[in-house]
Amino acid sequence: MKNDIRSVRLPVDFFAGNRRKLSAKLPDNCLVVLFAGKAPVMSADMDYPFFADRNFYYLTGIEQEESVLVLRKEGGNTSESLFIQTKDPLRERWTGRRLSQEDASTLSGIDSIRYVTGLEDYLKPFLSDHSIPIALEEGVKYGPAKEFEKSMRSISSERERISLGPILARIRMKKEPVEIECIERAIALTLEAMEEMCAHVRPGVTELELYTTFDHALARRGCLANAFSSIFAAGRNTLCLHYPVPLDTVEDGDLIQVDVGGRVAGLCADISRVYPANGRFTERQADLYAAVRACQESAFRTIRPGVYLSEINDAAKNTAQEELTRMGVIPGDTPADADVTSYYWHNVSHHMGHDVHDVCIRELPLEEGMVITVEPGIYIEKWGFGFRIEDDVLVTKDGCRVLSAFFPREAEEVSALITGVKGGDSPCQTSV
Ligand SMILES: [Mn+2]
């Protein structure tokens, strides 16, 4: 296997650097309190698997439940404290090893590691002084961050609160080179698994076999938490964008929409392809394929620093309108007929990073070093199918670089991948 990602981690300097970036954007005298979170209850005594808040991970490199980061900026200096669960041999017998203070310090680069049982006492003097602004995550839907926000609102309405979300979104939008390397690695991982899965595509296979083949290929390479739940949808199911339960059988003549992403050191990939079950596109399918690819090329041509996500979307949507008119799907003789939104269901781009739909401020223009997806989709209900083709791009000084360009994307290449007739090598380069 080319890509074993079990030991890939972001370096401790990365997390320390992120804390410095945040601190530089905060006013003096403020206190940051940020929670890793807690696994939500599924039912009875079952929890969902725990997944640390991405802002928390971005600042600490720690993924352990109930951890809390406290930063105190005073006189231009910022002191850092990380609170973690206490060691508990009985609990650890059930739920696995907890980090020691030394582990937590090594992973995060934070010297002061304390136990979360002491958090309340530690915060008391700061919280009783209402002149200290509190920086926190607002609008979190559940868990300790929500409880903390509620208590901050109730104990003092006059205290200044600083919302960390928008500040961290601005920082996270611009990727460090080490993050881009991990994203490239996640893309390579995804495409290796996609290639393995493609060997199973044929009429009569189930969506489930393709789904599990893909996820198994990721897991074997050490990726146990995908960027998101893999989407495998055949035939009419392609008309459901986030098709959730892949149990149907693939029929001869069907298209199969695949929308998948691996994750490396927390960073995501997000790639979509569409495959003909029997290896051959029908004329109509090929026509739509050319249309969606044309939309994608319009988007690629638009991307450069200074451009807004809405402009990329306008470019792709205009091409969709032209292509739908060319195909005769939109008659184009009245403005009402020409309503492209009946076929163009979603935006073409989103930022991608530690979250697959990464935090961002959509009103800010693109800058060099940002990573976005380009995923135009056209869905034609009366034809019984529709699809998107999705690649991930890095914004460069004067345009963009398609990070997933090395993987088969043209109609003939895609067909060749299914029929096994190779049109050439598809090397999966890795660089981390
Ligand atoms: Mn996407």
Side-chain angles (χ1 to χ4, degrees):
M1 263 180 302
K2 296 172 202 158
N3 220 334
D4 187 335
I5 57 129
R6 278 172 295 179
S7 58
V8 181
R9 277 197 60 86
L10 287 161
V12 67
D13 295 354
F14 169 75
F15 301 107
N18 294 342
R19 295 193 294 275
R20 278 195 300 277
K21 287 183 200 172
L22 171 62
S23 178
K25 290 192 182 298
L26 292 171
D28 206 32
N29 192 37
C30 85
L31 185 80
V32 174
V33 185
L34 185 64
F35 298 84
K38 212 173 150 17
V41 173
M42 186 184 286
S43 182
D45 67 347
M46 289 282 288
D47 292 341
Y48 285 101
F50 174 68
F51 194 69
D53 176 88
R54 290 298 94 181
N55 282 334
F56 180 87
Y57 172 72
Y58 185 77
L59 294 174
T60 62
I62 301 284
E63 308 223 40
Q64 184 166 281
E65 205 167 355
E66 292 186 73
S67 313
V68 185
L69 174 69
V70 179
L71 304 177
R72 165 75 170 143
K73 185 168 176 181
E74 205 176 13
N77 293 318
T78 301
S79 61
E80 308 173 332
S81 302
L82 182 66
F83 293 78
I84 58 171
Q85 291 171 318
T86 47
K87 294 291 279 177
D88 181 340
L90 282 183
R91 289 303 311 160
E92 288 177 60
R93 194 181 278 174
W94 289 89
T95 54
R97 194 175 163 275
R98 291 179 174 181
L99 296 174
S100 67
Q101 288 176 299
E102 294 72 33
D103 295 335
S105 183
T106 306
L107 292 172
S108 64
I110 295 172
D111 293 330
S112 168
I113 308 291
R114 301 159 185 265
Y115 289 119
V116 75
T117 43
L119 178 67
E120 218 180 299
D121 285 346
Y122 180 87
L123 290 179
K124 228 174 240 163
F126 301 114
L127 297 186
S128 58
D129 179 349
H130 290 194
S131 72
I132 297 177
I134 303 285
L136 72 171
E137 280 191 297
E138 295 190 302
V140 176
K141 293 192 182 75
Y142 59 84
K146 183 182 174 174
E147 294 304 311
F148 184 70
E149 183 188 356
K150 217 164 94 186
S151 70
M152 284 305 97
R153 285 178 187 277
S154 67
I155 59 171
S156 63
S157 52
E158 76 276 20
R159 178 203 294 279
E160 188 190 343
R161 287 192 308 274
I162 298 164
S163 186
L164 283 174
I167 300 172
L168 283 166
R170 275 173 191 264
I171 299 171
R172 282 175 54 183
M173 282 167 80
K174 205 150 168 202
K175 270 63 184 176
E176 290 290 331
V178 69
E179 290 177 288
I180 294 163
E181 285 175 38
C182 287
I183 288 172
E184 290 189 289
R185 187 113 189 220
I187 290 168
L189 179 80
T190 303
L191 297 180
E192 278 182 40
M194 183 101 86
E195 197 165 13
E196 277 192 27
M197 179 280 298
C198 279
H200 295 250
V201 170
R202 63 182 185 282
V205 73
T206 56
E207 293 166 335
L208 190 64
E209 181 179 336
L210 300 178
Y211 170 96
T212 51
T213 301
F214 175 84
D215 276 20
H216 176 234
L218 279 194
R220 274 182 16 252
R221 290 163 170 82
C223 178
L224 297 176
N226 297 12
F228 56 96
S229 300
S230 301
I231 296 168
F232 282 85
R236 281 202 77 84
N237 299 334
T238 58
L239 297 168
C240 174
L241 296 177
H242 289 174
Y243 177 64
V245 186
L247 294 177
D248 284 352
T249 300
V250 176
E251 307 287 345
D252 199 2
D254 276 356
L255 290 179
I256 306 161
Q257 172 81 74
V258 180
D259 185 348
V260 289
R263 192 188 279 274
V264 171
L267 286 145
C268 299
D270 186 3
I271 307 279
S272 300
R273 290 287 184 270
V274 65
Y275 297 105
N278 60 19
R280 292 179 308 277
F281 289 102
T282 63
E283 210 170 306
R284 202 171 240 192
Q285 290 167 349
D287 215 17
L288 186 57
Y289 202 97
V292 175
R293 279 286 296 120
C295 295
Q296 209 187 17
E297 290 299 327
S298 296
F300 289 153
R301 280 195 301 275
T302 310
I303 297 169
R304 62 182 175 280
V307 160
Y308 295 85
L309 291 181
S310 58
E311 294 176 66
I312 308 167
N313 197 48
D314 289 345
K317 200 170 171 180
N318 287 340
T319 304
Q321 171 126 13
E322 287 162 21
E323 291 291 315
L324 284 160
T325 310
R326 172 186 66 78
M327 292 188 290
V329 176
I330 292 178
D333 36 17
T334 70
D337 284 338
D339 186 9
V340 66
T341 54
S342 305
Y343 308 96
Y344 187 91
W345 293 352
H346 53 78
N347 279 328
V348 73
S349 290
H350 56 80
H351 284 258
M352 189 185 80
H354 291 273
D355 283 293
V356 64
H357 297 163
D358 212 20
V359 292
C360 74
I361 302 189
R362 286 190 77 89
E363 293 69 36
L364 287 179
L366 294 181
E367 284 178 43
E368 186 180 357
M370 291 181 175
V371 176
I372 61 172
T373 64
V374 177
E375 51 174 320
I378 300 178
Y379 305 87
I380 305 179
E381 285 176 297
K382 61 187 171 204
W383 287 5
F385 63 88
F387 52 85
R388 57 195 166 276
I389 302 170
E390 178 175 29
D391 286 271
D392 305 331
V393 311
L394 171 68
V395 181
T396 57
K397 210 166 95 210
D398 47 13
C400 72
R401 180 158 72 85
V402 183
L403 299 174
S404 41
F406 59 90
F407 195 71
R409 174 155 27 96
E410 303 306 338
E412 322 77 69
E413 299 173 324
V414 160
S415 295
L417 201 56
I418 301 307
T419 55
V421 181
K422 290 271 171 188
D425 284 336
S426 56
C428 292
Q429 298 144 345
T430 60
S431 53
V432 174

